[in-house]
Amino acid sequence: KTTNIVMLLDTAVTKVELVAKEKEQQLNKLYNKDADIRANVDRDRFEQVILNVLSNSIKYTNEGGRIDVDVFEQDGNARIVVQDNGIGISEEALPRIFERFYRVDKARSRAMGGTGLGLAITRKIVLLHNGVIKVKSEEGEGTTFTVRIPLKYMEQSK
């Protein structure tokens, strides 16, 4: 059964909107809410992926910051892009952020909670969906996460 990724993303964004609002962050939905981009995903687990990425953006973006969320079709894939203007990730830390228990800033992470498993689990779920998760970041400038998963079209039954 295929899932409309746009609806799934929109549901996840709605779940974190309040937290962003409390930090006076702008959470911008750049996508067309009525678009129908379908893929074969485990709904619950894939929603966990989206929520993890969104939560990280909110957590590591300062009050009054901006988070842009988009989803679109490209080259036979659904692409989900979450871009923030938060604290960013250093060049040294970037290659390691998907490792289990790795934390960019130990003291800060402990204070903010979290297990250090979020992105490791997120990446594992994306890989199970034959997808890719990428991150681009500039310290002090912000971070962009891109999740790409193959589109699956229902085969017409004759």
Side-chain angles (χ1 to χ4, degrees), residues 10 14 34 54 57 111 117 121 125 128 145 149 157:
D10 203 54
T14 303
D34 303 320
L54 287 170
S57 276
L117 283 172
I121 291 168
I125 296 170
L128 286 171
F145 277 95
I149 49 161
S157 47

Side-chain angles (χ1 to χ4, degrees), residues 48-133:
Q48 188 186 350
V49 164
I50 298 167
L51 286 171
N52 259 332
V53 173
L54 287 170
S55 301
N56 269 351
S57 276
I58 292 168
K59 188 191 281 191
Y60 295 110
T61 297
N62 296 325
E63 297 211 353
R66 196 192 78 242
I67 299 158
D68 294 337
V69 184
D70 203 358
V71 58
F72 51 91
E73 278 183 48
Q74 190 178 45
D75 306 327
N77 291 291
R79 282 181 184 261
I80 297 167
V81 181
V82 177
Q83 183 171 17
D84 65 56
N85 65 350
I87 61 171
I89 304 162
S90 72
E91 219 174 307
E92 308 84 80
L94 212 49
R96 302 193 56 196
I97 62 164
F98 294 109
E99 290 176 18
R100 291 168 55 133
F101 307 116
Y102 180 75
R103 289 177 156 178
V104 173
D105 176 343
K106 310 270 187 291
R108 182 173 181 153
S109 297
R110 265 198 299 278
M112 292 175 135
T115 56
L117 283 172
L119 288 175
I121 291 168
T122 298
R123 181 167 174 264
K124 189 173 180 190
I125 296 170
V126 171
L127 291 173
L128 286 171
H129 286 89
N130 298 314
V132 178
I133 182 166

